[in-house]
Amino acid sequence: MKKLFFILIFLYQASFSEIIVNEDFYNLNNWNSLKFKKINVLSNYNIIDNDILKAYSKNGASAIIYSQKFDVYKYPLAEWKWKVENIYQKGNAALKSGDDFPIRVYLIFQYSPKNSRGFKKIKYELTKKLYGEYPPHSALNYVWASKLEKGEIIKNPYSDFSRTLALESSNAKLGEWIVEKRNILEDYRAAFREDPPQKASIAIMADSDNTGEEATAYVDYIKVFGK
């Protein structure tokens, strides 16, 4: 009986060892603020009802980023639960003037000089000399869109190295809790037609600086884990 007990404990612990991000939003201790140049009005992130993240944005933008990077090949699966109160009337992901979302969960992939060459490597090295660190390699944005078709992937109007994937769209499910389950590797390959860099960070953002509108959204939990 004792042997069986320890086997069960081992299996229980092993199952949880495959989870690299397990955020239930009791607080924001594991998250850092991410601000953007030339945007002075910040979005607001706070905990309500003890374990729900509330994200509010009005004519501004900022994000929160998880403090720990992870290996997307070891931990390629992501799951979260979110809800949106409203979308933007002027929201249009294809245009700079409409590139706002009431909520996005996105992956920021880390640049590695080992896997780069030519002009791109020179560009990244110059940027590091100017700012003290490499810029991100690429970003994959999972969004609640205004006009994109559900499942549509488009290039970000501000950057060739960022893609937007609409998981939800329009007013159809406003006010409902929705669980999203994604395979990061499959989505990145579909968006960029290549394999992703090994390391990534996960972030959450509500932004409204382009449309000048306001929106409120919520995240119940977010997980990143292995197969």
Side-chain angles (χ1 to χ4, degrees):
M1 180 64 72
K2 185 180 289 187
K3 184 177 181 181
L4 177 60
F5 173 78
F6 283 113
I7 290 173
L8 291 173
I9 291 295
F10 173 80
L11 291 174
Y12 177 83
Q13 292 175 337
S15 66
F16 279 88
S17 69
E18 293 301 314
I19 301 177
I20 191 68
V21 177
N22 190 17
E23 181 59 76
D24 289 317
F25 293 110
Y26 296 117
N27 54 58
L28 290 174
N29 293 346
N30 293 323
W31 300 81
N32 299 315
S33 178
L34 182 60
K35 302 175 183 179
F36 305 103
K37 292 181 179 180
K38 300 181 181 180
I39 299 179
N40 297 319
V41 179
L42 305 182
S43 301
N44 183 262
Y45 302 92
N46 60 78
I47 305 301
I48 63 169
D49 299 333
N50 297 319
D51 62 352
I52 300 292
L53 174 69
K54 179 181 179 181
Y56 172 78
S57 185
K58 183 178 181 180
N59 194 28
S62 64
I64 54 174
I65 183 168
Y66 198 75
S67 57
Q68 182 179 2
K69 294 181 175 66
F70 62 94
D71 184 332
V72 297
Y73 291 91
K74 187 175 181 180
Y75 304 100
L77 306 178
E79 177 181 324
W80 64 91
K81 186 177 179 181
W82 61 4
K83 177 172 68 172
V84 167
E85 288 189 359
N86 63 283
I87 58 172
Y88 298 125
Q89 297 303 309
K90 293 184 286 186
N92 187 340
L95 304 174
K96 289 184 177 181
S97 61
D99 182 43
D100 285 335
F101 305 96
I103 193 72
R104 69 174 94 189
V105 172
Y106 66 108
L107 282 301
I108 304 169
F109 293 86
Q110 182 177 332
Y111 169 79
S112 173
K114 295 180 181 179
N115 301 322
S116 184
R117 58 183 61 87
F119 176 75
K120 186 173 185 178
K121 185 171 185 176
I122 294 172
K123 179 180 177 181
Y124 274 82
E125 292 297 337
L126 289 173
T127 303
K128 185 181 181 182
K129 287 183 179 180
L130 287 173
Y131 299 103
E133 60 182 5
Y134 292 118
H137 174 277
S138 50
L140 179 61
N141 298 263
Y142 297 107
V143 305
W144 194 306
S146 297
K147 294 183 171 64
L148 292 180
E149 294 291 330
K150 186 173 179 178
E152 187 174 356
I153 302 174
I154 69 167
K155 184 183 294 186
N156 184 280
Y158 281 98
S159 172
D160 289 338
F161 307 109
S162 182
R163 299 290 185 273
T164 299
L165 196 167
L167 298 187
E168 306 296 336
S169 185
S170 72
N171 295 300
K173 296 180 181 179
L174 293 183
E176 298 181 29
W177 282 110
I178 307 296
V179 175
E180 310 287 0
K181 298 179 180 181
R182 307 303 306 179
N183 185 305
I184 297 167
L185 296 179
E186 291 178 0
D187 289 339
Y188 190 97
R189 289 163 179 156
F192 290 94
R193 307 299 178 185
E194 64 182 23
D195 290 335
Q198 184 178 12
K199 296 290 185 178
S201 302
I202 194 162
I204 297 171
M205 182 162 72
D207 58 322
S208 54
D209 55 304
N210 295 302
T211 60
E213 299 180 54
E214 65 179 306
T216 302
Y218 308 88
V219 182
D220 185 11
Y221 67 84
I222 186 164
K223 299 178 182 181
V224 177
F225 51 98
K227 294 181 179 179

